Amino acid sequence: MRLLLVEDDTMIGEAVLDALRADHYAVDWVRDGDMADTALRTEDYDLVLLDLGLPGRGGLDVLRSLRARRNTVPVLIATARDAVGDRIAGLDAGADDYVVKPFDVDELLARIRALIRRSAGRAEPVFSHMGVTLNPATREATVNGETVSLSAREWAVLEPMLQRPGVVFSRAQLEQKLYGWKDDISSNAVEVYVHGLRKKLGSDMIQTVRGLGYLVPRQ
Ligand code: CA
């Protein structure tokens, strides 16, 4: 899963970045509204963590323009404790949820999981398909009830496909789940992780769609 972190405060930004990366998210961090707007126009994210008080263009403005483009990416806003008006304006401008600074990191991670789950059309926290079960909160994976150990990057490739069986993901889309801007991308990375996943989950679990990408079959 790939997240955009929009935060101008260096200390908060670094702390949140560390926590998100430790929880295996690929994260891009930008520090002002214009950079956030550019990132949202050019990259695909699974969720945006948006500070509202930013230098230059404000977070609310970025959010309104995002929704005006009919972009449905989940947005979690972060506001100061006394800024109830900002929270209301943020939710009414299309944010999905908010956290109040200073926020508890574990609560932040749980809210992120909940929003990503809802955006994939799921209410249940654990999801299963064709005998494979993933629990994003504990990061436990099982195959036919047996625990299987997936690397963070194997998980990152599998999770979006298992959430949407039958949907084809291009190699570029899956690469985006793996890396932030500052990471190197080896050209065959996705193939390597798909190969590893097939060995662990069974070769039927991920199908190659020639010229298009990969999918987890509906059944
Ligand atoms: Ca700020």
Side-chain angles (χ1 to χ4, degrees):
M1 294 283 149
R2 187 176 188 196
L3 310 189
L4 180 66
L5 168 63
V6 187
E7 173 60 66
D8 62 311
D9 183 292
T10 300
M11 273 180 59
I12 296 174
E14 284 176 353
V16 173
L17 184 70
D18 286 350
L20 293 174
R21 289 196 169 151
D23 211 32
H24 308 291
Y25 291 104
V27 186
D28 297 329
W29 175 18
V30 296
R31 299 165 186 244
D32 66 57
D34 288 320
M35 289 285 288
D37 192 68
T38 302
L40 287 165
R41 285 173 191 274
T42 52
E43 307 287 329
D44 271 335
Y45 295 99
D46 295 291
L47 181 135
V48 183
L49 181 59
L50 180 66
D51 179 27
L52 292 186
L54 295 168
R57 191 169 179 187
L60 265 184
D61 191 42
V62 172
L63 176 59
R64 287 198 183 101
S65 126
L66 177 76
R67 293 307 189 216
R69 297 195 300 276
R70 304 196 184 281
N71 186 319
T72 59
V73 62
V75 175
L76 179 57
I77 52 175
T79 69
R81 185 165 298 283
D82 56 358
V84 64
D86 283 355
R87 294 200 284 282
I88 293 168
L91 291 168
D92 283 341
D96 299 279
D97 196 4
Y98 66 86
V99 285
V100 173
K101 292 177 180 178
F103 44 75
D104 179 88
V105 165
D106 289 331
E107 182 185 351
L108 174 71
L109 295 173
R111 285 183 186 274
I112 288 172
R113 284 193 294 273
L115 287 177
I116 289 176
R117 179 165 84 221
R118 280 292 180 184
S119 76
R122 286 188 300 118
E124 70 281 16
V126 176
F127 57 107
S128 297
H129 184 68
M130 290 173 64
V132 175
T133 299
L134 296 184
N135 183 336
T138 61
R139 299 195 70 82
E140 285 171 337
T142 62
V143 179
N144 300 321
E146 301 279 325
T147 299
V148 60
S149 170
L150 301 183
S151 73
R153 288 179 167 182
E154 286 171 343
W155 184 292
V157 167
L158 177 63
E159 187 178 20
M161 290 194 285
L162 202 71
Q163 288 202 120
R164 293 181 173 82
V167 174
V168 178
F169 285 77
S170 69
R171 196 174 76 181
Q173 281 176 309
L174 293 174
E175 278 173 353
Q176 287 220 336
K177 308 291 184 191
L178 285 171
Y179 302 100
W181 285 333
K182 295 198 174 75
D183 300 309
D184 290 329
I185 299 177
S186 70
S187 60
N188 67 340
V190 169
E191 283 87 340
V192 170
Y193 300 127
V194 165
H195 179 74
L197 285 165
R198 282 174 173 154
K199 281 175 92 169
K200 292 178 182 179
L201 309 178
S203 54
D204 297 344
M205 198 62 211
I206 300 177
Q207 295 181 355
T208 302
V209 184
R210 197 172 291 276
L212 294 177
Y214 301 96
L215 63 74
V216 164
R218 275 184 220 282
Q219 196 49 58

